[in-house]
Amino acid sequence: MLDKQIIELLKPIRLKYFIKKLIKYLSFALLVWSVSSLILMLISKVVPITFVWQKITYPILLYILISIGWTIYKRPSLKDTAYLIDSFGLKERIITSLELKDQNSSISKLQKNDTIDGLKKNNFKEKISLVPPFKPLLIMLILVLATVIVGFIPSKTYYRAKEIEENKGKIEKTVEDIKKVEEKIAKDKILTELDKKEIENKLNELKKKLKKASTPEEMNKEISKTKKKLENLLEELKKEKIDELVEKLSKEDMTKEISKALENKSQEEIKKAMDDMAKKLENMSKEDLEKLAEKLKKLAEELKKNPELAKKLQELAESISQNTNGNGNNAAINQSLANLGELLNGMISNTPMTGSVEDLLEQLEQLNLNFGDGDSDGQENGNGNGNGNGKGNGNGQGQGQGNGYGQGTGGGAGDGTSPGSEDNGTGGTGGGSKDSSDKEVKDYEKIFTPQNLDTDGYSTQIHDDVDKDGEKDIIQIKKFGDLPGESIPYNEVLKTYRENAYRKLGNEEIPENMKETVKRYFSELE
Amino acid sequence: MDINENNVKEFIQKINDVKDEIGKAIIGQKDIVEQVLIAILCEGNVLLEGVPGLGKTQLVKTIGKVMDLEFSRIQFTPDLMPADVVGTNIISHDENGNSQFTFQKGPIFSNIVLADEINRATPKTQSAMLEAMQEKTVTVGNSTYRLEKPFFVLATQNPIEMEGTYPLPEAQMDRFMFKLDVKFPNVEELTEIVNITTVKEENELHKISNGKEIMEMAKISKEIPIAKSVMEYAMKIVLATHPENANSPEITKKYIRFGSSPRGAQAIIKAARVKALIEGRYNVAFDDINYIAYPVLRHRIILNFEAVSDGISSDYIIEKLIAEIPKK
């Protein structure tokens, strides 16, 4: 009874003691935080540290939580409270009473009653001050002030850190963009699950490597590698599909020709095979047409790796089977054949398998361009070779050559010499003055350019005259068509040439140094 | 023993009354009076050290009167023999005229024995006191005589007159519960002393207590509980006086030659209990230990030459130990 009474009297005091300890540990936690903040800020003046202000402010919550946890761990026991109250003038009455717990001798009772009297007569709760310790808080304030002051001292490492932050931002955006493309790939109806899985794996690998990259060069490298891998993968997938198709089509007489044409990857042969097939269909009887339709349906079912092709075959089969007149010359059949022919041509050409894959490759190329050869940081003088599209890389504040091409402000100055191809009138010199780094986007001079841009052309021959020995030279050339050219602004021409060149750089096995040379060439043209 | 609140209140009242009554004859020296009373209630012996004329003998006499205790005084001189202290067998004649040995009790057979200038007696005579002080018995020849309780010895010694004296050996010093330094009175006290002794009639002292009551009060004080941390604190202080102890403070290792015996620890705890009761508390406090540490330990700490040459006193060392040893 007396023991319980004593404990009940101690409880509110114990709670206040706990709060006092909490305030004390919080104060020390804040002190430690302020010390670590100042150290971090000082280090950031020597070593670039990204998001330094966030790294200073966010951990304060952690310190607070730790101090709360520590206080709970070190929470005062009844004994600790007893010592504290005894030190206020009770002269070890409480601690003695706690040790005499459950003892009922006369002296024990006298002692406990004496303790209870002492606790009731004095308001010891008031003697426990909740005022935080002054010194640690004062030191903390001084350190925080020092941190803020040091933080506003400009330094090279600060700007470098900003650069890294920007890069990280870009990486995050890039990863987001990749995720969007991944979603498209996932929804794609043409690709099989296995295809999608393989593409997804490559993209996941890319995302991981991007997160580890710290410079645009590294990012660009990873993107290029992944793009190459994906292109190889897609080539392999395409080849598998074609091989499967070749194998399946070769088993049927009607489709043998198509199979050979596919194997030879010849568009002309495919066209010829489709025409032949159309002619044969015209002369086929109703029963033969029905049998053919059945075979085509069966073939469509077997083409697991080619759902799009299977669909086209299915359509053809349905068109044939719907022809009740026995007339193989039917608009629907012809349309289905045309669709099939187009699809087969697409398979053997360089076009991507699906729209989503095309988007993916485009996205990767765009990323390649975004993270091209080193963004100039704009604070240093000049020489940024930025390729960012109008993001102002290499722009603005630099004095010098301002090579950052594109539409941003302060867009490159450059000693433009005309690019031009070998046989066109190039017109004037490249636009832009040398020191136009702070000028607005200017009107570029137009130059005459044939409309053969962005194509690969086709091979042809030029026959020379017969010489006195009766021989003549035959020269192999690439022709880009006979369409007339037009005057296009210089920067667009340059852009087109550059994009083509970069695409080739990404697809071809070219030494890195040569790639750098090419990129530098284009960046210097402005 | 069943103690009730009335017992304790009576105890406190009695002690205060004794102090007040003693205060009529002894001016000032309040601490000394209280500490002597504490020692009496602990059945301990006290060594009073002070220059002549400070009222040491007067104090003992006054205590004897107020507490209604049989008092005897032994003036120690170099030629004092042990038999002069404890008594001796003398030849006497019985009623039939036959010779026989009869034990004649010495002055030690009393309740309070004042051993005045104990350091003047030879070690042989000093050691005669040892058995009585510790065992409360006297052995003469083959016979052992029990001393009547309460029994305690108040010894005095003169710190100035060292010529022709025999310093008390450590073994004998250890048998004194307390060693009290009687200080010279201040101006007010001295004025009052002079007034009382030269002008006024000597106050008549009343008997406030008796031997039986003293024994009962001593029993009550033994019941007072002591918390574990307070007990440990007292033990730590005693252990801290030992230079060979690895945990002893630097001052101990530098200035102390020998530390206190376990008797010192016993004395601290016994006396602290009485002190707590005098204060009106039913438990021993850290402050009680700090208060008692000085009279208990100052004669139990044997200082080395460095302490003597540096002018370091035992009290100074005790003060430092109390400051350094943590209470929890």
Side-chain angles (χ1 to χ4, degrees), chain A residues 17 79-80 83-84 90-96 99-100 105-108 110-111 114-115, chain B residues 1-5 223-230 280-287 328:
Chain A
Y17 190 22
K79 211 172 169 183
D80 294 331
Y83 279 122
L84 178 69
L90 277 188
K91 300 217 179 211
E92 287 67 62
R93 281 176 169 87
I94 305 176
I95 191 69
T96 309
E99 286 187 16
L100 293 173
S105 62
S106 49
I107 191 69
S108 301
L110 282 171
Q111 199 282 325
D114 186 36
T115 303
Chain B
M1 181 183 176
D2 265 351
I3 305 165
N4 57 45
E5 205 172 338
E223 298 290 319
I224 298 300
I226 178 167
K228 196 172 157 200
S229 51
V230 179
R281 252 182 293 111
Y282 298 97
N283 61 275
V284 178
F286 290 117
D287 286 348
K328 313 184 247 175

Short mmCIF file of all heavy atoms in Angstrom, two decimals, chain A residues 17 79-80 83-84 90-96 99-100 105-108 110-111 114-115, chain B residues 1-5 223-230 280-287 328:
data_model
loop_
_atom_site.label_atom_id
_atom_site.label_comp_id
_atom_site.label_asym_id
_atom_site.label_seq_id
_atom_site.Cartn_x
_atom_site.Cartn_y
_atom_site.Cartn_z
N TYR A 17 10.57 14.23 -15.90
CA TYR A 17 12.00 13.93 -15.99
C TYR A 17 12.33 13.39 -17.38
O TYR A 17 13.34 13.73 -17.99
CB TYR A 17 12.39 12.93 -14.90
CG TYR A 17 13.87 12.69 -14.72
CD1 TYR A 17 14.83 13.62 -15.12
CD2 TYR A 17 14.33 11.53 -14.11
CE1 TYR A 17 16.18 13.39 -14.95
CE2 TYR A 17 15.69 11.31 -13.91
CZ TYR A 17 16.61 12.22 -14.35
OH TYR A 17 17.95 11.99 -14.17
N LYS A 79 14.13 4.39 -10.15
CA LYS A 79 15.34 4.60 -9.35
C LYS A 79 16.01 5.93 -9.72
O LYS A 79 16.41 6.71 -8.86
CB LYS A 79 16.30 3.44 -9.60
CG LYS A 79 17.18 3.07 -8.45
CD LYS A 79 17.95 1.80 -8.76
CE LYS A 79 19.01 1.58 -7.71
NZ LYS A 79 19.84 0.42 -7.97
N ASP A 80 16.10 6.15 -11.04
CA ASP A 80 16.72 7.41 -11.51
C ASP A 80 15.92 8.60 -11.00
O ASP A 80 16.48 9.62 -10.58
CB ASP A 80 16.75 7.45 -13.04
CG ASP A 80 17.65 6.39 -13.63
OD1 ASP A 80 18.62 6.01 -12.95
OD2 ASP A 80 17.38 5.92 -14.75
N TYR A 83 16.64 9.15 -7.34
CA TYR A 83 17.91 9.85 -7.09
C TYR A 83 17.76 11.35 -7.34
O TYR A 83 18.29 12.19 -6.60
CB TYR A 83 19.02 9.28 -7.98
CG TYR A 83 19.63 8.00 -7.48
CD1 TYR A 83 19.63 6.84 -8.25
CD2 TYR A 83 20.23 7.94 -6.22
CE1 TYR A 83 20.19 5.67 -7.78
CE2 TYR A 83 20.79 6.76 -5.75
CZ TYR A 83 20.76 5.64 -6.54
OH TYR A 83 21.33 4.46 -6.07
N LEU A 84 17.04 11.64 -8.43
CA LEU A 84 16.87 13.05 -8.78
C LEU A 84 16.14 13.81 -7.68
O LEU A 84 16.56 14.88 -7.23
CB LEU A 84 16.11 13.16 -10.11
CG LEU A 84 15.81 14.59 -10.57
CD1 LEU A 84 17.10 15.28 -10.98
CD2 LEU A 84 14.83 14.61 -11.72
N LEU A 90 15.46 15.57 -0.31
CA LEU A 90 14.82 14.49 0.44
C LEU A 90 15.83 13.52 1.05
O LEU A 90 15.45 12.61 1.77
CB LEU A 90 13.83 13.72 -0.44
CG LEU A 90 12.45 14.35 -0.57
CD1 LEU A 90 11.49 13.42 -1.29
CD2 LEU A 90 11.87 14.72 0.78
N LYS A 91 17.06 13.71 0.74
CA LYS A 91 18.15 12.98 1.39
C LYS A 91 17.95 11.47 1.38
O LYS A 91 17.90 10.82 2.43
CB LYS A 91 18.33 13.48 2.83
CG LYS A 91 18.66 14.96 2.89
CD LYS A 91 19.65 15.25 3.99
CE LYS A 91 19.96 16.75 3.98
NZ LYS A 91 21.28 17.06 4.40
N GLU A 92 17.84 10.93 0.16
CA GLU A 92 17.81 9.47 -0.05
C GLU A 92 16.62 8.79 0.62
O GLU A 92 16.63 7.57 0.83
CB GLU A 92 19.12 8.81 0.45
CG GLU A 92 20.33 9.07 -0.44
CD GLU A 92 20.79 10.50 -0.46
OE1 GLU A 92 21.18 11.03 0.60
OE2 GLU A 92 20.76 11.13 -1.54
N ARG A 93 15.58 9.55 0.90
CA ARG A 93 14.38 8.93 1.46
C ARG A 93 13.73 8.02 0.44
O ARG A 93 13.35 6.89 0.73
CB ARG A 93 13.38 10.00 1.91
CG ARG A 93 13.68 10.66 3.23
CD ARG A 93 12.65 11.76 3.51
NE ARG A 93 12.74 12.26 4.86
CZ ARG A 93 13.57 13.24 5.26
NH1 ARG A 93 14.40 13.79 4.42
NH2 ARG A 93 13.57 13.64 6.53
N ILE A 94 13.60 8.54 -0.79
CA ILE A 94 12.87 7.79 -1.80
C ILE A 94 13.62 6.52 -2.20
O ILE A 94 13.03 5.44 -2.32
CB ILE A 94 12.60 8.66 -3.04
CG1 ILE A 94 11.88 9.94 -2.64
CG2 ILE A 94 11.76 7.90 -4.05
CD1 ILE A 94 11.67 10.91 -3.76
N ILE A 95 14.89 6.66 -2.42
CA ILE A 95 15.65 5.49 -2.86
C ILE A 95 15.64 4.40 -1.77
O ILE A 95 15.57 3.20 -2.06
CB ILE A 95 17.08 5.87 -3.30
CG1 ILE A 95 17.78 4.71 -4.00
CG2 ILE A 95 17.93 6.37 -2.18
CD1 ILE A 95 17.20 4.37 -5.34
N THR A 96 15.68 4.85 -0.50
CA THR A 96 15.63 3.88 0.59
C THR A 96 14.26 3.20 0.62
O THR A 96 14.16 1.99 0.80
CB THR A 96 15.90 4.55 1.94
OG1 THR A 96 17.10 5.31 1.83
CG2 THR A 96 16.05 3.55 3.06
N GLU A 99 13.98 0.60 -1.96
CA GLU A 99 14.71 -0.64 -1.60
C GLU A 99 13.98 -1.41 -0.50
O GLU A 99 14.18 -2.60 -0.35
CB GLU A 99 16.13 -0.28 -1.16
CG GLU A 99 17.00 0.11 -2.34
CD GLU A 99 18.45 0.29 -1.96
OE1 GLU A 99 18.86 -0.16 -0.88
OE2 GLU A 99 19.19 0.90 -2.76
N LEU A 100 13.16 -0.69 0.26
CA LEU A 100 12.40 -1.37 1.32
C LEU A 100 11.05 -1.88 0.81
O LEU A 100 10.17 -2.22 1.61
CB LEU A 100 12.17 -0.40 2.49
CG LEU A 100 13.41 0.02 3.27
CD1 LEU A 100 13.06 1.10 4.29
CD2 LEU A 100 14.04 -1.18 3.98
N SER A 105 8.38 -4.14 8.21
CA SER A 105 8.81 -3.92 9.60
C SER A 105 8.38 -2.52 10.02
O SER A 105 8.06 -1.67 9.18
CB SER A 105 10.32 -4.06 9.72
OG SER A 105 10.95 -3.08 8.91
N SER A 106 8.39 -2.30 11.32
CA SER A 106 7.92 -1.01 11.82
C SER A 106 8.79 0.14 11.33
O SER A 106 8.29 1.21 10.95
CB SER A 106 7.89 -1.03 13.35
OG SER A 106 9.11 -1.51 13.86
N ILE A 107 10.08 -0.10 11.31
CA ILE A 107 10.97 0.97 10.86
C ILE A 107 10.77 1.23 9.36
O ILE A 107 10.85 2.39 8.92
CB ILE A 107 12.46 0.66 11.20
CG1 ILE A 107 13.35 1.90 10.98
CG2 ILE A 107 12.99 -0.50 10.40
CD1 ILE A 107 13.13 3.01 11.92
N SER A 108 10.48 0.17 8.58
CA SER A 108 10.25 0.34 7.14
C SER A 108 9.02 1.21 6.92
O SER A 108 9.01 2.12 6.08
CB SER A 108 10.04 -1.00 6.45
OG SER A 108 11.15 -1.83 6.63
N LEU A 110 7.73 3.32 9.01
CA LEU A 110 8.03 4.69 9.43
C LEU A 110 8.78 5.43 8.34
O LEU A 110 8.49 6.59 8.02
CB LEU A 110 8.89 4.68 10.71
CG LEU A 110 8.16 4.40 12.02
CD1 LEU A 110 9.15 4.20 13.16
CD2 LEU A 110 7.21 5.54 12.38
N GLN A 111 9.74 4.72 7.77
CA GLN A 111 10.56 5.36 6.73
C GLN A 111 9.72 5.73 5.52
O GLN A 111 9.82 6.83 4.96
CB GLN A 111 11.69 4.40 6.35
CG GLN A 111 12.88 5.05 5.65
CD GLN A 111 12.65 5.35 4.19
OE1 GLN A 111 11.97 4.57 3.51
NE2 GLN A 111 13.20 6.44 3.68
N ASP A 114 7.48 8.62 6.15
CA ASP A 114 8.30 9.83 6.13
C ASP A 114 8.54 10.28 4.69
O ASP A 114 8.48 11.48 4.37
CB ASP A 114 9.64 9.52 6.84
CG ASP A 114 10.50 10.77 6.98
OD1 ASP A 114 9.94 11.86 7.20
OD2 ASP A 114 11.74 10.65 6.87
N THR A 115 8.77 9.32 3.82
CA THR A 115 9.00 9.61 2.40
C THR A 115 7.75 10.21 1.77
O THR A 115 7.81 11.22 1.04
CB THR A 115 9.40 8.34 1.64
OG1 THR A 115 10.57 7.79 2.25
CG2 THR A 115 9.67 8.62 0.18
N MET B 1 13.41 -5.51 16.81
CA MET B 1 12.85 -4.56 17.77
C MET B 1 11.79 -3.71 17.07
O MET B 1 12.02 -3.20 15.99
CB MET B 1 13.99 -3.65 18.25
CG MET B 1 13.56 -2.65 19.26
SD MET B 1 14.93 -1.57 19.68
CE MET B 1 14.12 -0.45 20.77
N ASP B 2 10.66 -3.58 17.67
CA ASP B 2 9.58 -2.79 17.09
C ASP B 2 9.74 -1.33 17.48
O ASP B 2 9.70 -0.99 18.67
CB ASP B 2 8.23 -3.31 17.60
CG ASP B 2 7.64 -4.30 16.61
OD1 ASP B 2 8.19 -4.42 15.50
OD2 ASP B 2 6.64 -4.96 16.94
N ILE B 3 9.93 -0.54 16.49
CA ILE B 3 10.10 0.88 16.78
C ILE B 3 8.86 1.60 16.29
O ILE B 3 8.36 1.31 15.20
CB ILE B 3 11.34 1.43 16.05
CG1 ILE B 3 12.58 0.60 16.40
CG2 ILE B 3 11.57 2.88 16.36
CD1 ILE B 3 13.73 0.84 15.49
N ASN B 4 8.40 2.54 17.09
CA ASN B 4 7.31 3.36 16.58
C ASN B 4 7.78 4.81 16.54
O ASN B 4 8.89 5.14 16.96
CB ASN B 4 6.05 3.18 17.43
CG ASN B 4 6.31 3.49 18.88
OD1 ASN B 4 6.96 4.50 19.21
ND2 ASN B 4 5.84 2.63 19.79
N GLU B 5 6.90 5.59 16.06
CA GLU B 5 7.26 7.00 15.84
C GLU B 5 7.58 7.69 17.16
O GLU B 5 8.46 8.57 17.21
CB GLU B 5 6.10 7.70 15.15
CG GLU B 5 6.55 8.90 14.35
CD GLU B 5 5.43 9.47 13.51
OE1 GLU B 5 4.45 8.75 13.22
OE2 GLU B 5 5.52 10.65 13.16
N GLU B 223 18.57 0.01 13.91
CA GLU B 223 17.48 -0.39 13.03
C GLU B 223 17.37 0.50 11.79
O GLU B 223 16.65 0.17 10.86
CB GLU B 223 16.14 -0.31 13.78
CG GLU B 223 16.05 -1.22 14.98
CD GLU B 223 15.97 -2.69 14.58
OE1 GLU B 223 15.25 -2.99 13.59
OE2 GLU B 223 16.61 -3.52 15.23
N ILE B 224 18.01 1.61 11.83
CA ILE B 224 17.82 2.58 10.72
C ILE B 224 18.32 1.98 9.41
O ILE B 224 19.48 1.52 9.34
CB ILE B 224 18.57 3.89 11.02
CG1 ILE B 224 18.01 4.54 12.27
CG2 ILE B 224 18.50 4.85 9.84
CD1 ILE B 224 16.53 4.90 12.19
N PRO B 225 17.48 1.94 8.39
CA PRO B 225 17.90 1.31 7.13
C PRO B 225 18.85 2.22 6.34
O PRO B 225 18.83 3.44 6.48
CB PRO B 225 16.58 1.12 6.36
CG PRO B 225 15.67 2.15 6.92
CD PRO B 225 16.09 2.42 8.32
N ILE B 226 19.66 1.55 5.55
CA ILE B 226 20.59 2.30 4.69
C ILE B 226 20.46 1.75 3.27
O ILE B 226 20.47 0.54 3.06
CB ILE B 226 22.04 2.19 5.24
CG1 ILE B 226 23.01 2.92 4.31
CG2 ILE B 226 22.47 0.76 5.43
CD1 ILE B 226 24.39 3.12 4.94
N ALA B 227 20.32 2.64 2.31
CA ALA B 227 20.15 2.22 0.91
C ALA B 227 21.45 1.61 0.39
O ALA B 227 22.54 1.98 0.84
CB ALA B 227 19.73 3.40 0.04
N LYS B 228 21.31 0.75 -0.58
CA LYS B 228 22.47 0.04 -1.12
C LYS B 228 23.49 1.03 -1.70
O LYS B 228 24.70 0.88 -1.52
CB LYS B 228 21.97 -0.89 -2.23
CG LYS B 228 22.95 -1.95 -2.64
CD LYS B 228 22.28 -2.92 -3.60
CE LYS B 228 23.38 -3.61 -4.42
NZ LYS B 228 22.89 -4.19 -5.65
N SER B 229 22.98 2.03 -2.39
CA SER B 229 23.90 2.98 -3.02
C SER B 229 24.66 3.78 -1.97
O SER B 229 25.83 4.12 -2.15
CB SER B 229 23.13 3.92 -3.95
OG SER B 229 22.05 4.50 -3.28
N VAL B 230 23.99 4.07 -0.85
CA VAL B 230 24.65 4.83 0.22
C VAL B 230 25.72 3.96 0.88
O VAL B 230 26.83 4.43 1.16
CB VAL B 230 23.61 5.32 1.26
CG1 VAL B 230 24.28 6.09 2.37
CG2 VAL B 230 22.55 6.18 0.60
N GLY B 280 16.41 13.40 12.43
CA GLY B 280 14.98 13.16 12.31
C GLY B 280 14.59 12.35 11.09
O GLY B 280 13.45 12.38 10.63
N ARG B 281 15.55 11.65 10.54
CA ARG B 281 15.29 10.82 9.36
C ARG B 281 15.31 9.36 9.73
O ARG B 281 16.00 8.93 10.66
CB ARG B 281 16.37 11.08 8.32
CG ARG B 281 15.94 11.86 7.11
CD ARG B 281 17.05 12.03 6.09
NE ARG B 281 18.13 12.86 6.60
CZ ARG B 281 19.33 12.40 6.90
NH1 ARG B 281 19.60 11.12 6.76
NH2 ARG B 281 20.27 13.22 7.34
N TYR B 282 14.59 8.59 8.90
CA TYR B 282 14.56 7.14 9.12
C TYR B 282 15.43 6.40 8.12
O TYR B 282 15.28 5.21 7.89
CB TYR B 282 13.12 6.63 8.99
CG TYR B 282 12.21 7.22 10.01
CD1 TYR B 282 11.41 8.31 9.70
CD2 TYR B 282 12.15 6.71 11.31
CE1 TYR B 282 10.57 8.87 10.64
CE2 TYR B 282 11.30 7.26 12.26
CZ TYR B 282 10.52 8.35 11.91
OH TYR B 282 9.70 8.90 12.85
N ASN B 283 16.36 7.13 7.49
CA ASN B 283 17.27 6.48 6.55
C ASN B 283 18.58 7.26 6.53
O ASN B 283 18.62 8.46 6.86
CB ASN B 283 16.69 6.41 5.14
CG ASN B 283 16.41 7.79 4.55
OD1 ASN B 283 15.36 8.38 4.79
ND2 ASN B 283 17.37 8.34 3.81
N VAL B 284 19.62 6.58 6.15
CA VAL B 284 20.93 7.21 6.07
C VAL B 284 21.07 7.91 4.71
O VAL B 284 20.64 7.38 3.70
CB VAL B 284 22.05 6.14 6.23
CG1 VAL B 284 23.42 6.77 6.11
CG2 VAL B 284 21.90 5.44 7.57
N ALA B 285 21.65 9.08 4.72
CA ALA B 285 21.83 9.85 3.48
C ALA B 285 23.31 9.97 3.15
O ALA B 285 24.17 9.72 3.99
CB ALA B 285 21.22 11.23 3.63
N PHE B 286 23.57 10.40 1.91
CA PHE B 286 24.96 10.62 1.49
C PHE B 286 25.61 11.69 2.38
O PHE B 286 26.80 11.60 2.71
CB PHE B 286 25.03 11.07 0.03
CG PHE B 286 24.68 9.99 -0.96
CD1 PHE B 286 23.58 10.13 -1.79
CD2 PHE B 286 25.43 8.83 -1.05
CE1 PHE B 286 23.24 9.14 -2.70
CE2 PHE B 286 25.09 7.83 -1.96
CZ PHE B 286 23.99 7.99 -2.79
N ASP B 287 24.81 12.66 2.76
CA ASP B 287 25.35 13.75 3.59
C ASP B 287 25.81 13.22 4.94
O ASP B 287 26.78 13.74 5.52
CB ASP B 287 24.30 14.84 3.79
CG ASP B 287 24.11 15.67 2.53
OD1 ASP B 287 24.96 15.54 1.61
OD2 ASP B 287 23.13 16.44 2.46
N LYS B 328 26.62 7.63 -7.33
CA LYS B 328 25.86 6.51 -7.88
C LYS B 328 26.74 5.75 -8.87
O LYS B 328 27.53 6.30 -9.54
CB LYS B 328 24.61 6.96 -8.65
CG LYS B 328 23.76 7.97 -8.00
CD LYS B 328 22.53 8.22 -8.84
CE LYS B 328 22.58 9.61 -9.37
NZ LYS B 328 21.52 9.94 -10.29
#
